[in-house]
Amino acid sequence: MTATLQFLGAAGTVTGSMHLVCAGDRRVLLDCGLFQGLKELRERNWGERIPEVRGVDAVVLSHAHIDHSGYLPLLARQGFRGSVYCTSGTADLLKVVLPDAAHLQEEEAERANRHGASKHTPALPLYTPRDAEVALGLVQGRAYGEPFPVVGGCNVTLRRAGHILGSATVDLLIDGGTRLVFSGDLGRYDRPILRDPEPVAEADVLLLESTYGGRTHPTGAEDALARVVHEAADRGGVLVVPAFAVDRAQELLWILHRLEGTGAIPSLPVYLDSPMASDVTDIYRRHPEDYDAQMEQALRAGDRPLRPRQLHVARTVEESKQVSGMRGPAIIISSSGMATGGRVLHHLAQRLSDPRTTVLLVGFQAAGTRGRALEDGARSLRLLGQEVPVRARVERIDALSAHADRDETLRWLGGFTRPPRQTYLVHGEPDGAAALAAAIRERYGWQVAVAQDRATVRLAPAAAAR
Ligand SMILES: [Zn+2]
């Protein structure tokens, strides 16, 4: 029996995570993510991404971020009716994330039709809420650490990855022989709310993310955030934070609450302008299996660690418009995290030209996104059909990242008791992947290759490898 692995996304880039494992006639998809960012990548969401979709037996998801899960509704539309396995935290998050993605697709199509911005008339959404609903019907939540079958002879164990609620590494054992481990997105050590990434002891083939393979995050996220909040408040303006509704928003709330508690920042109105982020915050409250000791302790002490004193949640469009009319000093947290869509576009369109505004970037900004343009010092930005000059101050705090940096990734690799026969780097732009490959060779002397987009590689059985 030959087993193969094909990279169908997130190879040479950080979005579109999707890898196909074929073992004899069994086919398992690891992640099912949308491409985001650069136009030529986004256009691939529209083409045929997976050969013979109906032949896919099962999908295993590492976590609920759209670039790892957002293709599921399309898979369902293309006729896939197998099971989608993930942790129960991820299963809950998908109930919020997938319908939201479908709404965003519909909004985008509507906008394109209004502005005549699409070469297709009429512009159609990539998928609809109905497609998302069909996909959700296929999802099956599983516990951490307990092996389960995904298709005959293929068993999976999910372990905590510490990246967002429910995030997991995927350990796929094929016919009791070949062990493929997929890191998904690796989280960080000693961060608020979530437990640390769990070590994995063995892999024949390792599929490893490399987002920050070339960087080490500075420490002192809380101090950096306190400084930015103070400076924004002193200028009397609004601090706009584009944040992934899943996890970045919750961690920000956690840190703001804590900084208020210690008196490190003044208590300011905090507007969480994202119905999804507020739903997700509720889901976080329902999954204690993911909490670290600090979070457990805060809850035991009767604290509400995800709630700054002056928190206002804007759920409806009306409430969101009120946030738009509000003056500083104040903090607005709104998605999407790379300003590719969502309500944060309205806040940026309205406030970027005001020099009192501060925009704070707290996550990885992929090439081709508005977030990356801001990070790179763009003088103006196209938002909602108009060109908006950037007069706001733009800040970035890498220490708030949800991704392991180079050293944290190397630390996680230290958990393996023997070298994987082969390691493939995915989920990184070329520089990050190359830097991580070099670091792994230097530290551990392992066989490492950067995954090539759409390439297929062989997964030799364990016996042949020893
Ligand atoms: Zn992620």
Side-chain angles (χ1 to χ4, degrees), residues 64-97:
H65 274 152
I66 281 300
D67 59 319
H68 296 257
S69 70
Y71 196 86
L72 278 177
L74 275 174
L75 199 69
R77 182 194 278 188
Q78 290 161 19
F80 171 75
R81 290 294 180 272
S83 292
V84 176
Y85 297 101
C86 56
T87 64
S88 57
T90 297
D92 272 354
L93 288 174
L94 290 174
K95 290 175 201 159
V96 177
V97 163

Side-chain angles (χ1 to χ4, degrees), residues 40-323:
E40 65 256 35
L41 289 176
R42 281 183 283 126
E43 281 176 348
R44 283 179 60 186
N45 293 324
W46 294 86
E48 186 189 301
R49 282 189 61 190
I50 307 158
E52 297 171 57
V53 168
R54 282 165 193 274
V56 174
D57 297 292
V59 178
V60 184
L61 294 185
S62 63
H63 66 293
H65 274 152
I66 281 300
D67 59 319
H68 296 257
S69 70
Y71 196 86
L72 278 177
L74 275 174
L75 199 69
R77 182 194 278 188
Q78 290 161 19
F80 171 75
R81 290 294 180 272
S83 292
V84 176
Y85 297 101
C86 56
T87 64
S88 57
T90 297
D92 272 354
L93 288 174
L94 290 174
K95 290 175 201 159
V96 177
V97 163
L98 293 183
D100 181 80
H103 281 299
L104 286 180
Q105 306 285 353
E106 286 190 326
E107 266 176 33
E108 212 172 285
E110 260 170 46
R111 202 178 302 137
N113 286 327
R114 261 203 319 273
H115 297 287
S118 170
K119 50 185 182 225
H120 313 282
T121 39
L124 296 172
L126 188 58
Y127 52 79
T128 64
R130 173 73 198 136
D131 297 321
E133 209 176 295
V134 175
L136 286 172
L138 308 174
V139 174
Q140 303 211 26
R142 292 286 184 267
Y144 290 112
E146 294 172 15
F148 57 90
V150 292
V151 59
C154 294
N155 292 296
V156 160
T157 308
L158 302 170
R159 297 185 183 88
R160 288 176 186 80
H163 167 65
I164 64 170
L165 184 93
S167 66
T169 61
V170 180
D171 181 340
L172 171 67
L173 182 62
I174 304 168
D175 297 329
T178 305
R179 192 178 285 281
L180 171 67
V181 171
F182 172 40
S183 70
D185 284 358
L186 272 187
R188 309 188 52 198
Y189 297 86
D190 306 317
R191 297 302 301 154
I193 308 175
L194 300 177
R195 291 203 214 173
D196 288 350
E198 281 181 69
V200 178
E202 280 192 43
D204 296 301
V205 174
L206 173 63
L207 203 50
L208 177 66
E209 77 128 319
S210 55
T211 314
Y212 283 102
R215 294 197 215 164
T216 50
H217 298 315
T219 53
E222 296 190 6
D223 292 347
L225 184 60
R227 175 187 63 78
V228 171
V229 169
H230 269 292
E231 289 178 9
D234 287 348
R235 290 155 71 218
V238 170
L239 174 62
V240 181
V241 192
F244 281 119
V246 182
D247 191 70
R248 285 309 72 206
Q250 290 73 33
E251 185 168 333
L252 280 166
L253 294 177
W254 196 99
I255 298 177
L256 289 170
H257 171 80
R258 186 178 160 90
L259 291 173
E260 279 179 358
T262 60
I265 58 169
S267 169
L268 297 178
V270 177
Y271 295 89
L272 183 63
D273 184 16
S274 161
M276 180 160 73
S278 99
D279 289 342
V280 168
T281 306
D282 291 340
I283 294 172
Y284 264 66
R285 295 194 180 105
R286 291 206 300 270
H287 284 276
E289 74 275 16
D290 275 53
Y291 296 165
D292 64 6
Q294 202 180 15
M295 179 79 170
E296 279 173 358
Q297 197 184 359
L299 291 171
R300 260 201 311 273
D303 198 2
R304 300 171 82 183
L306 299 180
R307 195 168 271 280
R309 270 176 226 149
Q310 298 187 58
L311 178 66
H312 306 274
V313 178
R315 297 194 67 94
T316 64
V317 172
E318 264 326 295
E319 288 165 339
S320 178
K321 283 184 180 155
Q322 283 168 15
V323 176

